[in-house]
Every structure is written in C-alpha cells, then in structure tokens.
Amino acid sequence: MTEPSATRPSTPAHPSADHPPLLEVRGLSVRFRMPGGRHVAAVSDAGFTLEAGQCLALVGESGCGKSVLASALLGLLPANAQTAGTARTAGTELLTADEAVLARTVRGRLVGLVPQSPAAHLTPVRTVGAQLAETARALTGLRGEAAARHAAGAAERAAYPADHLDRYPHELSGGLAQRAATALALVGDAPLLLADEPTTGLDRDLVEHTADELRRQVDRGRALLLITHDLAAAQRTADRVAVMYAGRIVEIAEADRFFGDPGPRHPYARGLLNALPERSFTPIPGLPPELGDLPAGCAFAPRCSKSDGRCASQRPVFAGGTACHHPEGAAP
Amino acid sequence: MIELDGITAGYDRRTPVVRGASLSLAPGEAVGLLGPSGCGKSTLARVVALLHRPEAGRLAVDGEPVCAWRHRAPRRLRTAIGVVFQQPRLAADPRLRLVDLIAEPLRATGRREGAARRAAELAETVGLTGELLRRRPHEVSDGQLQRACLARALVLRPRLLVCDEMTAMLDASTTAALVAAVESYRAASGAGLLAVGHDRVLLGRWCDRTAEWEDVATG
Ligand code: SF4
C-alpha cells in the first residue's frame, strides 16, 4: 500500500468548545420495516464527529450499513426506513428535516455529494460548463456571467481544465469525469463533502488521483466523509478511519495508527487489513450476519478467533476507540 | 493450453478495441493480464471465454483452433472454460435462487440429475451455505452474489477459468476469500487461470506471472 502523498497538519481529534464539529452524529440508527413485520437494523447507534479540514473514512464491506448511513445524512432513505438519533451540521438536524429543507438548504449547500458513478451523475446531453452554471444558478441565486464565473471557479478548485468546460460527459476520460462530478459537488460551497465509493471501478492511478483531489479539498478547509471499501483510497485520504461491521461502528482510529503501528484494535478491522494482497491475503472466515437476524452479543463473534462466552452473550460497548471485549493493544 | 495469436476484436470494424493481441497460457498456468480500464482487456477476456468473435487472429484451446464463438462454439469447448465478470448483478438472472443460478450450466447442458446437490457442494466451497442459497440476487450482497457467480463458473469443472475484474467491487476480505476459492479449485483440478484486472498488487500476489497489456496487444 502506498504512503499518503503528503504529511498533514495534525488536527485535534476531539472538538473543543470553540471548534464545534461540522458534523456531529450521535446514536444514529436506521431500521427498515420489511413485509411481514420484520425489521432490518441497517445502522445501529452510530456516532462520530467530523471537523472542518478533516477527512473521516467510513470503511466496511458491501451491506455493512455505510451507504445507508450516507443516505440518512442526505435525507435519501426509502419510505420504509425509521431513523433514531441525531445528525447535526451547521445547526441543521438532518434526520428530521423535511424534504423542502433538505432540497433548499441541505443538499449541495451544506452537504456536497461526490457520487459513486460520475457518468450517471452528469447529464449526457449538456456540456459540463452548462451543468455547472445551472447548478450554480440553482444553489447560489447568481445569474448570467456571475453564475458562469462561479461555475468556472468550482471547476478550477476540482482541477477540471477550463478549456474542457464545453465538452460533453461522453467526451471525457474517467479521470476528467470524476473531476467534473467533484466540481458539481463543490459549486454550492458546501462545507461538508460526502463521497460515496468515489473510486469504485477506477484504475489504481485514477484512484490515487481522485483520492488526492479529495484530500486537496480537505486541506482547503472542507470536511470530508469518505465512504469506501477501498482501504488504499482510505489510507491515502483520511485523517481518521471508522470501521463498520453489521451496522455498527466497531472502531474509530487515527489513520496513521490504524494503517501503521500499532494497527487496529478490533479483530474485524485487523482481519480486514490482513486480507489485503500486500499483507497476508487471508480472508476472514465466514460471512457477516444477516442485519435482520443479528446475534445477541457481538455480531462478529461467530467469525472471531478471540470470541468467548461473554462475546456471545453480551454486546460490547464502544470505549477506547473500539467496541470489543478483548481489543488488541491499549487505548490511544 | 491456450494460445492467442494476433487477435483483433471490437464492436465496430473500423475501430477495433483490441489489435494484434498475442498471449499463451501453459496448462494449469495462472496468468494475470494487467491494463488500464478501457484498454480492451475485457474484450480479449470475452474472446477467450468464447463469448466474443474476433475479427482476425487465432485462438487455440489445447492445440485445437477455435472457429466458432458463442452458441455456435462446440459444447465441449464451451464447458471447458468458465468465466466470472466484474459486476455480478449484470451477470445473474434476477429471478433465479442462488442454488439454481449455480446449477444453471448443469441444467443448460442436460445434467439435471444431481444438479442441486452438486450446486450445494460447490456453494460451500465458495462460502455460501444454508438459507442463503434459497435467496434471489436482490436479497444478497454484491459479495455473496459474486461468490455464487464463481460457483456457477466452476460447476462444469472447467479446464480454464477467466476472471475479468472479478473482485474490483469487493472488500479486501471477500476478495481474498474468492481468490482462495479459485486457488483451491485449481489445486484440485489443475485448471488454468486468466485473471484480467488493473490491480498490480493483487494479480502479482495471485498469479504465476503477469503480462502487461502494452506487451500483449499492439494498440
Ligand atoms: S467482542 Fe469478542 S467476538 Fe467481538 S470482536 Fe471482540 S473479541 Fe471478537
């Protein structure tokens, strides 16, 4: 795995009174009501904070709940979802905001979404410049030349070349399409960016490039929640890493400690890193549990080599950066 | 066992996406083919998997030149080669339960007898068991569905497995699990492998050797 491209200024891990976090998530749970009265607990009791100039990577396998968490923050959950807890940014409660508030003040303005598939996010029949200007008009109220200038500014910040603003999406390489999508996320000057699997299916060069572009936005003072299964992209971009398993955050750690020494504290997180081809390339045995049928104790117990009777019966609480009865090493 | 010589292929005769590709795999050999996305390596994988007819060049399997592709390819050749793609959702019939998805090639080749049992056995080797096998694709995760697609590719005991970006969408543990399942099948059967992808670290760790797209094709 490659080293992060640049050393970063150290940022405080915990918000202080005069630096309220840009995003504060507490006790966030999302349940889906299924036919037959069943419930699926997609996210359970998730909590974290995120400050300006910081990137938190939320990692885990498909189906672990990380995308549902992102959808909850953007008010994009389906109708059968029930939420609990709070998710606050800039004084706005995201979980209970109605669609009008979300559309008028949240999406694009407070939270910019960097999509998974830029191709699907860009309108094929209009040039990138026209789409950016239209988004600028919608989000900022600017008109005419002013909107076009604002759009060009967002393009520049996303390192999208000015002489390609008159191109159509299908004329762009994968890298430029990703930058165009990032530019769209930046148009509204949202202080919080949410990137949902922005590197899926990209070549390694392009992954690194996209990760570096996102990091640049963070270094300019934005907060970034990076949702990914790609540990290399997380390592390249993030200050902190949150690991999700079966709908719960099981570890939050500084990226340096997580990827380097002493490594993760939670057995699942350790297993995930060990599975990388540049490490031992050994899979974690078994499969994750069904979110509709979670075990009573620790959800990882059936797959964990350290599991004991307590693990099977008693759910570990989150403490010292991890939710585990027998974590590795000492709390940081 | 597999020889590709001067293969040119594409979707429009004027602008082929693969030009003059040549590569050979020894019996039982695992070769990783590395190239950037959009370079044509997936099209070449489809040619090898007998799913895409090239415009020019020669493909030979165990010394026998291939002269027909897709449903025209002789069954004996089609069943000798298994294939797994990047996106399991595009490669799986959404109406089939996983157990039937895995058994599909057996039924399609008239081997209904014992198909369900063989499917269940294979499912276990890719880490799928019990109730999961009765679910349909929309009821399982991408990783679980890809496990089923791998089992389907192995169900006819192919002599060659073609994996086209099989793990590009998957997390590290599921990736390692699928690679381990492929390798235990290969150890037991002596099958060869063509793994196409862009992840140098992964293919380097997985395969006996890797080949660069620029050395395989001329453009
Ligand atoms: S609580 Fe027990 S079973 Fe769960 S991860 Fe920790 S040691 Fe393993």
Side-chain angles (χ1 to χ4, degrees):
Chain A
M1 191 167 289
T2 41
E3 288 300 310
S5 54
T7 44
R8 292 163 207 144
S10 60
T11 26
H14 302 289
S16 54
D18 42 328
H19 282 290
L22 224 148
L23 175 66
E24 183 168 17
V25 174
R26 290 283 158 243
L28 170 59
S29 297
V30 181
R31 297 202 309 171
F32 294 113
R33 238 177 310 110
M34 307 305 278
R38 279 195 318 125
H39 282 97
V40 169
V43 179
S44 299
D45 200 19
F48 58 86
T49 58
L50 183 53
E51 289 166 83
Q54 272 228 352
C55 169
L56 175 70
L58 187 57
V59 304
E61 59 206 281
S62 73
C64 74
K66 59 191 195 302
S67 299
V68 173
L69 194 153
S71 301
L73 298 181
L74 289 163
L76 296 174
L77 290 172
N80 66 333
Q82 302 168 333
T83 60
T86 65
R88 240 179 235 114
T89 185
T92 301
E93 172 53 58
L94 297 171
L95 297 183
T96 50
D98 61 31
E99 180 53 33
V101 170
L102 289 167
R104 221 175 326 103
T105 68
V106 175
R107 287 186 216 120
R109 290 183 172 85
L110 286 175
V111 189
L113 175 69
V114 181
Q116 170 164 5
S117 152
H121 215 69
L122 298 164
T123 312
V125 296
R126 311 199 38 216
T127 66
V128 171
Q131 291 182 57
L132 286 172
E134 183 191 275
T135 310
R137 283 194 295 276
L139 291 178
T140 63
L142 293 170
R143 290 287 169 265
E145 259 312 292
R149 262 201 314 279
H150 189 86
E156 197 185 329
R157 277 176 283 139
Y160 184 88
D163 59 355
H164 280 56
L165 283 169
D166 58 356
R167 299 280 171 97
Y168 290 89
H170 71 268
E171 299 174 310
L172 304 178
S173 66
L176 284 185
Q178 185 60 55
R179 287 190 217 178
T182 305
L184 269 179
L186 297 179
V187 169
D189 283 322
L192 172 63
L193 294 177
L194 201 159
D196 186 8
E197 299 278 8
T199 59
T200 294
L202 298 184
D203 298 336
R204 194 43 57 193
D205 300 1
L206 217 47
V207 167
E208 292 177 359
H209 193 90
T210 303
D212 293 348
E213 300 275 357
L214 289 171
R215 183 66 220 179
R216 194 157 40 239
Q217 305 309 324
V218 175
D219 291 336
R220 288 190 178 147
R222 289 199 158 74
L224 171 65
L225 181 61
L226 171 66
I227 292 175
T228 187
H229 71 265
D230 183 341
L231 294 168
Q235 181 175 17
R236 211 172 165 91
T237 318
D239 301 287
R240 286 183 303 149
V241 181
V243 182
M244 240 177 140
Y245 184 75
R248 286 182 186 270
I249 294 181
V250 296
E251 176 155 8
I252 300 183
E254 299 288 322
D256 297 355
R257 291 176 60 89
F258 187 85
F259 291 109
D261 252 355
R265 301 197 69 205
H266 194 280
Y268 171 68
R270 294 187 81 83
L272 204 53
L273 278 191
N274 261 330
L276 285 169
E278 51 271 70
R279 302 201 184 196
S280 77
F281 207 26
T282 320
I284 302 167
L287 294 176
E290 292 304 320
L291 294 174
D293 186 22
L294 290 171
C298 171
F300 190 57
R303 306 172 74 184
C304 182
S305 62
K306 295 173 122 190
S307 161
D308 60 13
R310 185 161 161 232
C311 300
S313 62
Q314 200 182 321
R315 183 182 303 136
V317 294
F318 193 92
T322 187
C324 175
H325 292 308
H326 310 292
E328 203 68 37
Chain B
M1 160 204 200
I2 297 286
E3 289 159 89
L4 287 159
D5 190 12
I7 295 280
T8 292
Y11 306 90
D12 175 348
R13 276 195 173 267
R14 285 159 301 179
T15 52
V17 292
V18 179
R19 283 177 215 262
S22 299
L23 180 70
S24 60
L25 277 78
E29 191 183 22
V31 175
L33 178 55
L34 279 163
S37 62
C39 74
K41 62 190 192 301
S42 290
T43 304
L44 190 63
R46 294 178 65 84
V47 171
V48 177
L50 307 178
L51 295 171
H52 187 95
R53 187 189 174 84
E55 280 145 30
R58 176 173 174 274
L59 165 65
V61 177
D62 292 333
E64 179 189 343
V66 174
C67 26
W69 273 260
R70 302 186 65 88
H71 56 277
R72 291 198 186 84
R75 174 181 287 185
R76 148 181 69 68
L77 277 183
R78 267 188 287 146
T79 57
I81 302 174
V83 58
V84 189
F85 301 102
Q86 175 174 350
Q87 300 215 27
R89 306 247 164 237
L90 303 180
D93 184 334
R95 295 164 303 184
L96 292 182
R97 298 172 191 280
L98 295 197
V99 64
D100 298 321
L101 187 78
I102 296 169
E104 197 184 18
L106 289 171
R107 301 213 165 92
T109 51
R111 288 169 240 191
R112 285 164 189 283
E113 190 87 7
R117 192 175 31 85
R118 167 96 180 114
E121 263 167 39
L122 255 176
E124 202 168 331
T125 69
V126 298
L128 293 175
T129 47
E131 187 261 337
L132 272 177
L133 289 177
R134 291 193 298 277
R135 303 235 190 123
R136 294 196 165 78
H138 73 272
E139 297 166 316
V140 301
S141 72
D142 287 353
Q144 290 165 342
L145 189 54
Q146 191 67 304
R147 287 171 193 257
C149 288
L150 173 58
R152 175 180 62 181
L154 299 179
V155 80
L156 296 177
R157 299 192 173 86
R159 278 174 286 148
L160 175 75
L161 186 65
V162 177
C163 297
D164 181 11
E165 295 274 19
M166 174 176 76
T167 62
M169 319 263 293
L170 305 176
D171 67 281
S173 178
T174 309
T175 296
L178 284 177
V179 168
V182 168
E183 287 310 298
S184 73
Y185 171 74
R186 293 204 323 114
S189 66
L193 168 73
L194 177 64
V196 172
H198 64 264
D199 189 332
R200 195 169 294 280
V201 182
L202 172 67
L203 294 189
R205 180 83 185 248
W206 181 2
C207 301
D208 300 322
R209 68 181 168 99
T210 56
E212 303 286 335
W213 181 251
E214 64 218 42
D215 299 329
V216 165
T218 57

